[in-house]
Amino acid sequence: MIQTITTGLTAVAASFNGAANASESGGQFVLEDFFVGRTVAEAKFTAINGVKRHFRIDITGVWENDTLSLHEEFSFEDGETDTKIWYFEKKAKGRYIASRSDLLRPVEATIRNNTLRYTYSLYLDPENRKNVVLFRDRITVVDNRTLQNTAVVHKFGIPVGLVRGTFVKQD
């Protein structure tokens, strides 16, 4: 059992480190330029305990008063659905304050060259404000219509899962 957990943690860390060292030559990333309109994401969550979930996110982005709102409609492979709304308030070039109803608190999101990074804690059970996990997100430009996302999920400071996804601009 311990070996399985250790192997899983090593795999998650190796996957994240490989993504973190990827080339950042895709171009300058401007959050509100990419996400205004319709975007679709295909993603997969993998946990160290072997749980895997594939899902799709249909995203509608609106830019108004220096705030980008991203209305996300999640469709999981097993039929489950969910809705989330991100708000990214622009504070300066490449710097935003991000918030969502299930976050513990708003967080800073920064863009350097073609990569957006932000770390946030959220409630997996937002109604009861329970089961907190930490996400370390990295979204990188592939081309003018595509982004790659890697998010390492932590529980009690230990990496327990990995989300990999691709965002494709629709209009």
Side-chain angles (χ1 to χ4, degrees):
M1 175 73 152
I2 296 297
Q3 183 177 8
T4 302
I5 291 172
T6 304
T7 302
L9 291 173
T10 302
V12 168
S15 295
F16 181 65
N17 288 337
N21 294 326
S23 169
E24 292 189 4
S25 61
Q28 182 63 37
F29 182 17
V30 178
L31 196 61
E32 59 273 21
D33 287 351
F34 186 88
F35 279 107
V36 167
R38 194 167 163 276
T39 306
V40 172
E42 295 286 338
K44 178 181 174 183
F45 168 76
T46 306
I48 62 170
N49 66 359
V51 170
K52 294 179 182 173
R53 289 193 85 187
H54 291 85
F55 57 97
R56 173 187 168 115
I57 313 169
D58 289 289
I59 305 164
T60 303
V62 175
W63 176 251
E64 187 173 52
N65 299 324
D66 290 330
T67 300
L68 174 66
S69 60
L70 298 178
H71 183 96
E72 301 176 322
E73 295 289 334
F74 288 78
S75 301
F76 292 88
E77 192 174 59
D78 62 6
E80 181 183 345
T81 61
D82 199 2
T83 300
K84 302 290 183 190
I85 302 173
W86 275 104
Y87 297 97
F88 289 86
E89 182 183 357
K90 190 167 192 168
K91 294 300 186 178
K93 182 180 177 184
R95 197 172 136 259
Y96 303 81
I97 298 299
S99 61
R100 200 170 85 178
S101 65
D102 57 350
L103 297 186
L104 270 67
R105 67 190 62 80
V107 298
E108 186 172 36
T110 57
I111 296 173
R112 184 163 174 224
N113 298 321
N114 71 339
T115 302
L116 170 69
R117 289 183 174 88
Y118 56 121
T119 299
Y120 52 95
S121 295
L122 63 80
Y123 296 102
L124 290 178
D125 179 2
E127 284 184 29
N128 297 307
R129 312 288 280 176
K130 291 183 179 179
N131 200 4
V132 176
V133 293
L134 177 93
F135 279 74
R136 293 189 189 281
D137 262 82
R138 182 177 191 268
I139 301 174
T140 302
V141 173
V142 174
D143 58 42
N144 64 347
R145 300 192 59 78
T146 312
L147 303 175
Q148 283 296 131
N149 179 223
T150 302
V152 178
V153 184
H154 295 80
K155 180 79 176 175
F156 304 119
I158 299 168
V160 296
L162 182 69
V163 179
R164 287 190 182 272
T166 302
F167 295 89
V168 178
K169 182 79 173 148
Q170 301 298 299
D171 43 44

